[in-house]
Amino acid sequence: MTVSILIPHWNRQALLMPLLQSIRQQRLPQGVDVEVLVVDNGSTDESAAAAEREGFQVLRLGRNEGVSRALNRGLAACRGEWVAVLNNDVELTPDWLSQLLQAMSSENVWFATGKTLDFDRRTRIDGAGDAICRGGTAWRLGHGKEDGPEFGVRRRTYFPSATASLFRRTFFERLGPFEEAFFAYLEDVDLGLRAAIEDLSGLYVPQAVAYHRGSATSGAWSRAMVEWITCHQLLLLAKFYPTRLLMRYARPIFAAQLLWAGLAVSRGGAWAWMRGLWLGIRRFARLRRASQALRRGERLASILRSSEADIARVQGATSWDAYWKWYFRLAPRAAENSA
């Protein structure tokens, strides 16, 4: 059995090499082989050459084609029956891969995602799976919270995290590749919504731990990050929400996007938010026309309600972030449940 590990990469040799070392330290089950493919998006530093010198395979794209396209190029080039997707700014604990393989084999699911902890503050959650609200904004569950029992429970999910997840290759054969309209950020949420529509469930496995530096490549609250997330949130609405749901969820959508705008502006990203909004509006109609088949079913509303309930559950079990406190005040779930 072969596991292919795909790492989309752009510069930052200091991030990549510790990740590759942690892959070498994986304690693999008997009969499991690993191939590692670094998909290099036109790095201008020595990171691609350094990976090759260490014996790892590098697929050089020659320019920065984005995370989704890099992953798709890697999917086309790799040979494993299992595919792990890793950010270049994570480091794995030695049993990360074996924990996910064991869980997926016993539960017979399509993918598995583990617990990621903050690289610098290792008792703090970076993400315990992903979730999305009715308003179209996503959250890494537990992000910024102290680790605790509520993050130690294995559960089913439809949302893999592209930070660090393991997939059956047949998952992509069923759903198709990553959405290349998403240059970076939210490409995994797009994949999760498609998985939910097709009822291809996965598993959150808290025993599989990785440490994440969080936006270390693009930069936390960088202009690029704000622009891409703003744009891609609109594209999620375009791609998945039928017209009746856009109308039904007009209030949650307005609340979620308004609060995101306020958050971006407060972090100095006003211009990046405006540019992302403009790009999202420009691309909205084209992506909507291309994805009509995804909006024919009736599952999306229940998927969104269930995912939003996960957000509320974690917030209630820990402490309320200002964003989510105001979101649920402006778009209360009780109103939705009675609709």
Side-chain angles (χ1 to χ4, degrees), residues 266-286:
S266 72
R267 299 298 196 279
W271 174 248
W273 173 80
M274 287 189 288
R275 179 169 169 78
L277 181 66
W278 171 240
L279 288 174
I281 292 170
R282 282 182 57 194
R283 298 171 183 173
F284 193 96
R286 181 174 59 185

Side-chain angles (χ1 to χ4, degrees), residues 5 47 299 305 315 330:
I5 299 179
S47 53
R299 285 177 53 83
R305 289 197 300 269
Q315 289 283 312
L330 295 171

